[in-house]
Amino acid sequence: MTRIFSGIKPTGHLTLGNYLGAVRQWAEVDQHRAESLFSVVDLHALTVDHDPGRVRRLSRQAATLLLASGIDPERATVFVQSHVDEHARLSYLLECVATDGEMRRMIQYKEKSALERARGGSVRLSLLTYPVLMAADILAYGADEVPVGDDQVQHVELTRDLAVRFNQRYGHTFVVPRATYPKVAARVMDLQDPTSKMGKSGDVGAGIVYLLDEPDVVRKKILRAVTDSGSEVEYDREGKPGVANLLEIFAACEGGSPEDLSGVYESYGALKKDTAEAVVEVLRPVQEKHKELVADPAYVEEVLRRGAERARGMSRPMVDTAYRAIGLLPPVNEEL
Ligand code: TYM
């Protein structure tokens, strides 16, 4: 059976981008067609300046939202990355396979380290090695597929390269995974700056729709979205990025393609109004379920406990095999 792994990092409140680009696909499609693992990858949240209490709160919230989005813990394994030691264990081995140059070429590293330096801060070493940990997340489970938004392309490519290299050097150990993307909304853009990604770590919220925004807040943000010059509703990502973004969001919520929908609208205003309502409707059941789950923290904790137990059982043999393959002596009492 196909195995799927994906993760979300608790660096901010989950956004509409996370939902349309990844989480909804996990809940509606992936968990039904493959053996799936979805993780709140909290170790990744420590790569930039962080507040420990906030990471804990956001981790719990992200896990709750995965369940509220319809991920069923009877079908999929839902867990917190730091509860399973194998991720960090494998990450070190993969650091011994990856190169320094390869890491420095990662776009997210270049962007985030530049931002950090511009703020006068220092860049954590873990920001550089982050993609190796992500590769470990995936390879530890022998995942065949990694459903992500398109900002993760380069990281999944690196994962493939590391798997192939390890296999060539030390004997076949890892499955070489491939990324999968949603048909529309693989990159939802910021409503106030449609040339940049809608990101949860962004510090101003006006262009970002959060999964837990009240309906009126969602409406306001979408009605105030930056649109483009001219007045014709066309799907042109280069020439009209603001309108194209709204059409993609609308198409992702309502079904259909952004191209077809563009023909239906004669004004930006009407498109915005319908997009806002479509988003409110898509978020409504998630928010309702979230409210229920927040009232039952013991249930969420139990899901995470069982998830971690299952994830440990699945990753341990793979990581042990990698330890032996690379030349590390097994502990006494363990067969070679
Ligand atoms: P993260 O936490 O930034 O995002 C989680 C998922 O949401 C997708 N996404 C988007 N999709 C469309 N439009 C957007 N504006 C948007 N913003 C985010 C992301 O592509 C992602 O699929 N490095 C990963 C977390 C990670 C991971 C992994 C993913 C760690 N280990 C192993 C897969 C497998 C990240 O930062 O995602």
Side-chain angles (χ1 to χ4, degrees):
M1 195 182 191
T2 305
R3 191 175 280 184
I4 283 181
F5 181 95
S6 203
I8 189 151
K9 64 181 191 302
T11 42
H13 297 284
L14 265 62
T15 71
L16 185 65
N18 296 131
Y19 186 68
L20 297 179
V23 177
R24 187 175 65 163
Q25 192 83 1
W26 305 347
E28 291 183 0
V29 184
D30 296 327
Q31 67 172 346
H32 300 288
R33 66 180 182 87
E35 183 176 23
S36 305
L37 295 112
F38 302 115
S39 182
V40 176
V41 286
D42 54 350
L43 295 173
H44 289 278
L46 310 184
T47 54
V48 288
D49 198 21
H50 79 284
D51 166 30
R54 185 163 188 263
V55 170
R56 272 191 292 273
R57 280 193 302 279
L58 289 173
S59 296
R60 205 169 288 127
Q61 188 188 68
T64 309
L65 277 168
L66 293 186
L67 301 176
S69 301
I71 293 173
D72 173 1
E74 299 302 322
R75 281 184 182 279
T77 302
V78 179
F79 70 103
V80 173
Q81 179 195 32
S82 65
H83 296 175
V84 181
D85 293 341
E86 306 311 319
H87 297 246
R89 251 183 107 216
L90 181 56
S91 186
Y92 179 73
L93 288 206
L94 296 178
E95 281 185 23
C96 301
V97 176
T99 67
D100 168 70
E102 201 162 42
M103 291 300 105
R104 291 185 195 280
R105 280 197 295 276
M106 293 288 128
I107 297 162
Q108 286 204 352
Y109 172 71
K110 286 194 208 167
E111 287 176 357
K112 287 189 180 168
S113 59
L115 202 73
E116 205 66 42
R117 285 195 186 99
R119 282 192 191 132
S122 53
V123 178
R124 295 184 183 184
L125 180 58
S126 54
L127 188 66
L128 182 65
T129 55
Y130 166 117
V132 179
L133 177 59
M134 175 162 163
D137 299 338
I138 298 165
L139 298 182
Y141 296 93
D144 306 283
E145 291 182 19
V146 187
V148 282
D150 82 356
D151 60 328
Q152 298 299 318
V153 177
Q154 206 189 16
H155 293 159
V156 181
E157 277 305 310
L158 174 82
T159 304
R160 292 169 58 84
D161 291 346
L162 297 182
V164 168
R165 201 176 303 154
F166 189 103
N167 288 348
Q168 277 168 353
R169 282 189 196 159
Y170 307 114
H172 187 81
T173 307
F174 295 121
V175 174
V176 181
R178 66 184 187 90
T180 60
Y181 312 99
K183 282 196 202 74
V184 268
R187 181 178 288 252
V188 177
M189 308 307 269
D190 188 292
L191 297 171
Q192 289 299 315
D193 174 12
T195 55
S196 35
K197 188 187 77 166
M198 184 185 282
K200 61 173 132 55
S201 322
D203 30 21
V204 255
I208 306 168
V209 174
Y210 294 102
L211 242 56
L212 293 177
D213 276 346
E214 295 285 336
D216 277 345
V217 174
V218 173
R219 290 189 185 100
K220 203 178 288 168
K221 286 178 177 175
I222 295 179
L223 294 178
R224 288 189 186 157
V226 166
T227 36
D228 312 288
S229 55
S231 59
E232 219 168 305
V233 178
E234 288 166 315
Y235 182 59
D236 173 2
R237 283 195 89 159
E238 296 282 302
K240 292 198 167 186
V243 174
N245 191 34
L246 290 171
L247 285 167
E248 287 206 16
I249 293 172
F250 190 36
C253 293
E254 287 281 294
S257 75
E259 288 87 351
D260 293 347
L261 288 169
S262 65
V264 176
Y265 286 92
E266 293 195 343
S267 76
Y268 292 168
L271 171 65
K272 283 182 177 176
K273 202 160 156 286
D274 285 3
T275 303
E277 291 315 314
V279 171
V280 166
E281 286 315 310
V282 160
L283 298 188
R284 190 188 305 281
V286 179
Q287 296 185 349
E288 282 170 5
K289 187 77 191 156
H290 178 262
K291 206 180 277 174
E292 276 174 36
L293 290 167
V294 164
D296 191 0
Y299 168 75
V300 177
E301 260 167 40
E302 178 57 16
V303 166
L304 295 178
R305 192 193 60 74
R306 282 208 327 243
E309 205 171 85
R310 255 199 326 242
R312 274 185 221 114
M314 287 160 92
S315 53
R316 181 83 202 212
M318 175 66 85
V319 177
D320 279 350
T321 304
Y323 266 60
R324 301 303 152 252
I326 206 167
L328 299 170
L329 204 58
V332 270
N333 297 333
E334 211 178 282
E335 295 288 314
L336 246 183

